[in-house]
Amino acid sequence: MKRSVVWRWLLIIKNIYSDLKFIFGKLPKITRFFIILTFKSTVVSFLLSVLAVPATATYAMRFGFRVPVEGTAYIQFAIGCWSFISFVASIAVMVLVVAAFGYFKLGYVEIQNYVNNRQEDIDVNPNIALTAIDMLIFVFNRPLARFVETIGFFIKVTFHYIATTLFVFSIVVYIILSNGILGLHFSDNNMYYWSIGCMFLASIFSFGVWYAAAERPLWMLQGYLTAPLAILMAVALFSYDTYGSLLRVMRYGGGIETNITTDGKIYKNSEELIGNMLLRSNSSTFMLLDENIIMEISNSKIASYSAKYNAKWHMPKYGLVSQKNYIAIE
C-alpha cells in the first residue's frame, strides 16, 4: 500500500517534470537563458547565505573575539543579496566577452565573403580595374587567413587550460596570502590584490575567448561558469577581509570607526566608547578599543551608535595561524 502511494507520487512528479521540460524547450532562447540565470543565481545566493554562519565564525576566530553563536540574521540576508547580484553580474560580463569575440568572428567572415565575391567578379571579368583595396586584399589575404586559422586552433586547444590554470593558481595564492599560511600575508602597500585580480580577469577573458571560438551555444555558458563562480565567491567569503568589507559597507562591523553611547558607565568610568566596531550580532556588539582590547557589549546596554559617513577603519593584526599557541594536545 505504501509502495503504491509512493510510486503514484513519483509518477506525478515525473509527469510534471516532463511537461515543464516540454514548455521550457518551446520558449525563446533568450528567455531560457534568463530563466536559468535567475534560478542559478537564486540557488547560489541561498548556498552562500547558509555559508554566512561558518564565515561569521571564521571571521570572529581569525580576529580573536567570541564567535556569535546567537546569529547575525541581517548579515545572512545581505550576503544572500550580494551573492545574487555578483553571480548575475559575473555571468553578464562573461556573456559580453563571448559576444564581443563572436562579433569579431562575424566581421572576419564578412571580410572573407567580400574577398570571395570580389575574386569571382575578377574571374568573370578579367579586365575589371583593381583598386588599392583589392591589391592589399590579394597580397595579405592568404597569410592573414592562415594566421587567423592558426590562432583559432591555438585558442580552441589551449585557452580553456590557460583559464583553468590561472583560476586555480589565483585561488591558491589568495588562500595562502589571506590566511597567513607559510608565514606570508597581505600587506597594506603591495600589489597582491591587483596581481590576483588581474589573474582572475585574465582567466575570465581566456575562458570567454575560448568559449566563443569553440562555437558552443550561449545557454551552455552558465553550466561551465556555475561551479567556478560559486567556488570563487565561497573562497572570497572565508578569506582575509572580504567578509569585513561587506560589514563595513553595511556599517555592521569590519573595524569601522564608531562611537557608542551606553546606559551607564561600562569602560574607564565613561558612558562613551570610541573604537572600531568588529561585528554586531543579534545580542552583542564587539569593539576594538585601545591597547588591543576587544570588548563585548550587550546590545541592551547601548543607547546609540554614531559614525562618520566616511569613517576610517582598522582591524586587528591577527590571524588563525597566529593562534596556534592556544592549541595543546597531550
Side-chain angles (χ1 to χ4, degrees), residues 179-211:
N179 293 289
I181 301 173
L182 304 178
L184 301 174
H185 293 273
F186 285 106
S187 64
D188 296 331
N189 299 307
N190 58 38
M191 296 299 291
Y192 286 133
Y193 280 122
W194 286 106
S195 59
I196 293 173
C198 287
M199 280 192 287
F200 279 131
L201 292 176
S203 175
I204 291 174
F205 178 78
S206 299
F207 180 82
V209 171
W210 168 80
Y211 194 87

Side-chain angles (χ1 to χ4, degrees), residues 126-174:
N127 297 322
I128 191 172
L130 296 178
T131 65
I133 294 178
D134 294 328
M135 300 293 288
L136 289 173
I137 286 175
F138 292 141
V139 170
F140 293 105
N141 179 51
R142 184 169 297 178
L144 180 61
R146 289 180 178 175
F147 174 77
V148 171
E149 183 180 355
T150 303
I151 291 296
F153 177 78
F154 178 74
I155 288 173
K156 291 179 183 179
V157 172
T158 64
F159 264 44
H160 57 302
Y161 293 115
I162 293 174
T164 303
T165 302
L166 287 172
F167 179 81
V168 173
F169 183 71
S170 55
I171 286 284
V172 172
V173 172
Y174 187 73

Side-chain angles (χ1 to χ4, degrees), residues 98-304:
V98 173
F101 194 79
Y103 278 113
F104 171 78
K105 289 199 303 181
L106 288 176
Y108 178 74
V109 170
E110 290 294 328
I111 293 174
Q112 286 298 107
N113 291 336
Y114 172 80
V115 172
N116 295 334
N117 294 333
R118 188 62 175 167
Q119 185 66 55
E120 290 178 2
D121 293 340
I122 293 173
D123 292 340
V124 173
N125 184 9
N127 297 322
I128 191 172
L130 296 178
T131 65
I133 294 178
D134 294 328
M135 300 293 288
L136 289 173
I137 286 175
F138 292 141
V139 170
F140 293 105
N141 179 51
R142 184 169 297 178
L144 180 61
R146 289 180 178 175
F147 174 77
V148 171
E149 183 180 355
T150 303
I151 291 296
F153 177 78
F154 178 74
I155 288 173
K156 291 179 183 179
V157 172
T158 64
F159 264 44
H160 57 302
Y161 293 115
I162 293 174
T164 303
T165 302
L166 287 172
F167 179 81
V168 173
F169 183 71
S170 55
I171 286 284
V172 172
V173 172
Y174 187 73
I175 291 174
I176 290 174
L177 294 176
S178 63
N179 293 289
I181 301 173
L182 304 178
L184 301 174
H185 293 273
F186 285 106
S187 64
D188 296 331
N189 299 307
N190 58 38
M191 296 299 291
Y192 286 133
Y193 280 122
W194 286 106
S195 59
I196 293 173
C198 287
M199 280 192 287
F200 279 131
L201 292 176
S203 175
I204 291 174
F205 178 78
S206 299
F207 180 82
V209 171
W210 168 80
Y211 194 87
E215 299 179 353
R216 284 172 167 76
L218 191 61
W219 65 269
M220 288 180 62
L221 179 64
Q222 298 184 63
Y224 282 96
L225 288 180
T226 300
L229 286 176
I231 291 171
L232 174 61
M233 286 190 282
V235 168
L237 189 62
F238 281 89
S239 296
Y240 193 54
D241 207 25
T242 306
Y243 187 88
S245 301
L246 180 65
L247 293 177
R248 286 190 287 276
V249 172
M250 295 170 56
R251 295 299 193 272
Y252 249 74
I256 201 78
E257 193 176 38
T258 307
N259 289 17
I260 291 179
T261 303
T262 61
D263 292 330
K265 301 176 182 180
I266 62 173
Y267 182 70
K268 290 187 177 180
N269 201 31
S270 174
E271 296 179 353
E272 185 179 31
L273 291 177
I274 301 175
N276 300 88
M277 183 165 61
L278 300 176
L279 180 68
R280 286 175 62 187
S281 71
N282 293 343
S283 63
S284 302
T285 297
F286 300 88
M287 292 286 290
L288 175 64
L289 305 178
D290 296 335
E291 300 175 355
N292 293 327
I293 294 175
I294 295 178
M295 187 169 186
E296 179 178 350
I297 308 143
S298 174
N299 289 338
S300 61
K301 295 183 178 180
I302 297 176
S304 66

